[in-house]
Each structure stands twice: as C-alpha cells, then as structure tokens.
C-alpha cells in the first residue's frame, strides 16, 4: 500500500498552489497522518509516506472513516480548495467489507463533488466498492494488495476521465437559484420593511452573476405576483435596488398552496432562468405570517419531488407543523415572534444554505470553452486499511 501511494505521489506536482496530498489510516476509527496543508513538497510527502507505520485494529468501519474524512480532511482549515474548484479526489484502499453502513457517507461525498476511487481485495464486497465510488466504473479490485501495481495505470486513466467534470461540478457547487416567496397580505403591511431588509441581507451574502447565484422575488396573498424572475437581473446591485423599491402587494386571503404551485409552473422553469435541469441547487425561501387558507401538501410535495430545497420562515401566527411540511426537511422551518425579529434568522439560514447538497447526475457539458484542469491537479486523499 505504501508503494502504491508513493507511485501515485511521484506523478504529482506537489506545491501549495499545485497538488496537495493527505493520508489517513483507519480501522475502528480514522487517524490522519498528515493533512492537505501539512507538506508543500513532493519529497516531504514521500518521506512521510515511507515513515508510515501500520495502525492495526478491528473492525473495519469504512462508513465512519468516510464521514471523518468529509468532516476533518476535505475542509478549508485542513487545506482543501474544494470551493475554489480544485478537484477533490479520494483513493480508498479497503481490505474487506465494512462493518458499518457506508451508503450515507458515500452519498454525502458524492453530493459534495468528491471523486471517490475504491480499490478492494478479493475479500472486499464488489457491490459495496461500487456504491462507495463516485461512479461504479471507479471501483477496482485486486486479488491482494501486493498486486496494486496492476491497477496503477487504471487509476491514472480514471482520474483523467474525472478531470473534465470538475469545471461543471465547480459551477454547481458555487451556483444557486434562490427564490423568495413573501407573504404580502394586509397583516404584513407594517412589517414589510423588515421583510425587505431580510431579503437584502440574504442577497448581500450571495455571489450574483449569470453563471453563479440568481435571485427571484414573488409576493403573494390570494394570488402570487412575480416582482422579478431568476433571469431578470444579473448583478447584486440591480437586485438590491429592486428589493428596496418593492411595494407591498396587500390582500386578505393567504393561499400558500396556490403560490407554491405557481412557482413550480412559472418560476422554477428554464424560461424564467432556472438551471434546475443543469443540476444547480434550487432554493425557495418562504416568509409566511399565518396558516394557509388552502392546502399546501400537494404543491409542497411536488416541489420536493423536483428537488426544490424549501426553507420556511413563519411568525407566531403561522402553523409550525405546516411550515415543517412545506420545508424540504423539518429542521429547515424557522419561527420568529414577529417579522421585525427576522434579523435573528439569516445566520441559521445561511449555515443551512452552505450545507446544501448538490445534484451530480446531469451529463458533463462538452463546451470547448470550459476550462479543464490537469488530471492530477487535485487533492489526493488516501485512507489505508488492513485486515
């Protein structure tokens, strides 16, 4: 295993602004030997690899190790440049079937755009290796680890095929389509400046651009009214100016269900600027001051099926259970006493937005204008295990 890692590292251009390498061993628990920002030269990495000592232990908890790597290795503080679009690669060597469940952590790594290559021995579970890998074809097997040299070229080739996907994944990771659905009934008239301020503070945190974040605002009461679509404004200043100039719509009845249905059919669409079919996360932030006069269940379910990530913010007049049913998960529902207290919400909301999953299923665009990184210009992340 050490020889295998050395041969991979020999092909890298290690440097602070080039390739970075980290190594982890695991059995029952994971242990980081060095992080992505520990060594800045190939010689230092090679010396560290040669100095590795077998960790030992039982059982083999691959699921927990993957979670550990995600939480403690692929992070800004430990040298990961994931959010800057640098390819993130995890090479896993597993000598048997995992004692714990791997599906949740493997899925989470894929959602973050981390390319996982799983290499197993004859005692490994081939189907588990495929589930662990970013794609089933990224799973490789050897009779035993003394034969790892036979898959060295395969790994290099597969990493080369992964590289063209990086620009696409980076665009997804740094892009969001954000729609605000604002309760504009008569009951919220005096609170409307606080609502506008809330929207402005969220927009201030976004990277607004045609190829990055896009924003739409809709007011509703009995009927919804689009103030601007996702493709109306392409700069932050334009959006902030439009939000400042909003005029309260008014209306007596609060038909949240009809408004959600309207968004599905008229706002989260390609013609209105939505990039849902390209895999860009779709975010809906709902502000509601009371219980809906119509049913929200069917339209909320339809939005979830489309992959819309809904965050619902209600005042004390709202139905907390209704807000939870509307949200893409119960913890994405927030409540404040009054809309004048909305200042307490953005930090919670922004933390949730940063943890958004991404959809990595759309096909990679073949646009020749896309910038492609070199195959090994990456974070290489190698957990070791032993039987």
């Amino acid at each position: 295993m050490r020889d295998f890692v050395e041969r991979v590292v020999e092909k890298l251009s290690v440097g602070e602004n080039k390739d970075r390498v980290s190594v982890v061993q695991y059995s029952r628990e994971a242990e980081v030997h060095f992080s992505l920002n520990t060594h800045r030269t190939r010689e230092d990495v090679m010396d560290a690899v040669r100095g590795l000592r077998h960790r030992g232990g039982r059982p083999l908890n691959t699921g927990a190790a993957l979670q550990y790597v995600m939480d403690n290795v692929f992070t800004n503080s430990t040298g990961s440049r994931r959010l800057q679009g640098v390819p993130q690669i995890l090479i896993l060597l597993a000598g048997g079937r995992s004692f714990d469940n791997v599906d949740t952590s493997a899925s989470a790594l894929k959602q973050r755009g981390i390319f996982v290559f799983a290499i197993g021995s004859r005692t490994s579970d081939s189907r588990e290796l495929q589930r662990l890998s970013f794609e089933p074809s990224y799973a490789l097997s050897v009779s035993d680890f003394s034969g790892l040299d036979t898959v060295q070229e395969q790994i290099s080739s597969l990493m080369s095929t992964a590289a063209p996907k990086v620009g696409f994944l980076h665009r997804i990771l740094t892009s969001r389509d954000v729609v605000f659905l604002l309760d504009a009934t008569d009951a919220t008239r005096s609170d409307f400046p606080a609502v506008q301020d809330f929207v402005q503070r969220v927009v201030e945190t976004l990277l607004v651009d045609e190829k990055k974040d896009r924003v739409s605002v809709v007011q509703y009461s009995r009927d919804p009214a689009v103030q601007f679509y996702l493709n109306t404004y392409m700069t932050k200043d334009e959006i902030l100016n439009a939000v400042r100039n909003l005029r309260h719509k008014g209306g007596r009845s609060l038909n949240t269900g009809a408004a959600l249905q309207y968004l599905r059919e008229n706002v989260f669409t390609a013609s209105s600027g939505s990039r849902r079919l390209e895999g860009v996360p779709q975010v809906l932030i709902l502000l509601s001051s009371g219980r809906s006069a119509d049913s929200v269940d069917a339209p909320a379910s339809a939005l979830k099926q489309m992959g819309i990530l809904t965050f619902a913010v209600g005042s004390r007049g709202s139905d907390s259970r209704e807000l939870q049913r509307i949200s893409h998960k119960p913890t994405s529902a927030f409540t404040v006493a009054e809309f004048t207290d909305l200042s307490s919400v953005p930090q919670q909301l922004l933390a949730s937005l940063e943890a958004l999953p991404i959809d990595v299923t759309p096909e990679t665009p073949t646009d020749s204008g896309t910038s492609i990184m070199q195959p090994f210009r990456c974070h290489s992340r190698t957990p070791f295990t032993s039987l």
Side-chain angles (χ1 to χ4, degrees):
M1 285 191 280
R2 284 187 304 199
D3 287 344
F4 171 82
V5 175
E6 285 187 56
R7 286 194 298 270
V8 172
V9 173
E10 282 174 352
K11 294 186 177 182
L12 302 179
S13 299
V14 178
E16 183 172 358
N17 296 318
K18 295 182 179 179
D19 301 329
R20 298 181 182 180
V21 181
S22 172
V23 171
V24 174
Q25 287 193 60
Y26 79 101
S27 49
R28 178 186 295 276
E29 298 169 342
E31 177 185 3
V32 178
H33 287 284
F34 53 90
S35 299
L36 291 164
N37 55 4
T38 303
H39 301 301
R40 297 302 193 196
T41 69
R42 180 163 52 196
E43 291 71 24
D44 287 343
V45 173
M46 298 282 276
D47 285 344
V49 172
R50 294 187 192 106
L52 290 174
R53 295 294 175 264
H54 185 261
R55 183 175 190 277
R58 61 174 67 178
L60 183 67
N61 290 333
T62 305
L66 293 178
Q67 185 66 44
Y68 180 89
V69 165
M70 184 167 59
D71 294 340
N72 299 280
V73 180
F74 287 113
T75 63
N76 287 334
S77 62
T78 54
S80 168
R81 295 162 291 176
R82 180 176 70 92
L83 297 180
Q84 287 110 296
V86 177
Q88 308 289 286
I89 293 179
L90 168 62
I91 301 175
L92 166 69
L93 302 181
R97 180 180 295 181
S98 179
F99 188 78
D100 61 356
N101 184 275
V102 302
D103 294 333
T104 301
S105 49
S107 176
L109 285 170
K110 292 175 190 176
Q111 289 174 349
R112 293 195 181 189
I114 295 167
F115 294 98
V116 180
F117 299 87
I119 304 174
S121 67
R122 63 175 159 231
T123 54
S124 302
D125 182 336
S126 60
R127 287 176 296 184
E128 181 178 86
L129 292 176
Q130 290 177 348
R131 298 201 310 277
L132 288 167
S133 300
F134 186 81
E135 295 179 1
S137 62
Y138 291 178
L140 303 175
S141 292
V142 292
S143 57
D144 56 61
F145 284 150
S146 62
L148 280 170
D149 59 321
T150 63
V151 297
Q152 200 88 36
E153 290 305 314
Q154 270 182 284
I155 280 288
S156 297
S157 176
L158 287 172
M159 290 172 79
S160 298
T161 65
K165 301 179 183 180
V166 172
F168 171 61
L169 286 175
H170 180 53
R171 181 166 59 80
I172 293 175
L173 284 164
T174 57
S175 304
R176 289 162 294 194
D177 291 337
V178 182
V179 177
F180 291 91
L181 180 60
L182 310 177
D183 178 342
T185 54
D186 294 339
T188 64
R189 188 175 299 278
S190 62
D191 294 334
F192 197 64
V195 171
Q196 289 172 289
D197 182 64
F198 169 83
V199 175
Q200 288 180 75
R201 280 185 288 117
V202 175
V203 171
E204 285 283 8
T205 68
L206 302 178
L207 298 171
V208 178
D209 184 86
E210 183 176 1
K211 295 182 178 179
K212 293 183 180 178
D213 298 328
R214 297 182 181 180
V215 178
S216 171
V217 171
V218 180
Q219 291 191 58
Y220 82 104
S221 50
R222 177 184 297 276
D223 301 305
V226 178
Q227 307 300 300
F228 52 90
Y229 291 95
L230 289 164
N231 54 5
T232 303
Y233 302 120
M234 291 302 166
T235 70
K236 186 181 295 187
D237 287 343
E238 288 177 319
I239 291 171
L240 290 172
N241 188 54
V243 173
R244 290 188 199 101
N245 291 322
L246 289 176
R247 294 294 174 262
H248 187 261
K249 179 179 181 294
R252 298 179 64 181
S253 180
L254 185 68
N255 290 333
T256 306
L260 295 176
Q261 183 65 25
Y262 181 89
L263 294 183
R264 178 176 177 270
E265 296 172 352
N266 299 280
V267 178
F268 288 111
T269 62
S271 61
S272 297
S274 168
R275 295 163 292 174
R276 181 177 69 88
L277 297 179
E278 300 169 45
V280 174
Q282 306 291 286
V283 179
L284 170 60
I285 300 175
L286 165 69
L287 269 64
S288 172
S289 68
R291 180 178 297 179
S292 179
D294 60 357
S295 175
V296 302
D297 294 335
S301 177
L303 287 175
K304 291 174 188 176
Q305 289 174 356
M306 287 176 65
I308 310 298
L309 303 165
T310 302
F311 298 86
V313 183
S315 66
R316 65 175 157 216
S318 305
D319 181 337
S320 60
R321 287 175 296 184
E322 180 179 88
L323 295 176
Q324 290 177 351
R325 296 202 308 276
I326 291 172
S327 300
H328 74 281
K329 58 182 180 180
T331 55
S332 296
F334 306 93
T335 303
V336 292
E338 305 288 347
F339 279 162
T340 51
D341 299 325
L342 283 169
S343 59
S344 63
V345 175
Q347 284 307 115
Q348 300 174 63
L349 186 61
L350 294 174
S352 299
L353 286 174
E354 288 176 2
L356 285 180
I358 63 168
D359 181 357
V360 296
T361 55
E363 295 183 2
T364 305
T366 55
D367 185 346
S368 60
T370 302
S371 176
I372 304 300
M373 292 191 172
Q374 294 300 312
F376 284 94
R377 201 161 295 281
C378 62
H379 302 308
S380 205
R381 189 73 195 86
T382 312
F384 289 123
T385 184
S386 62
L387 292 175

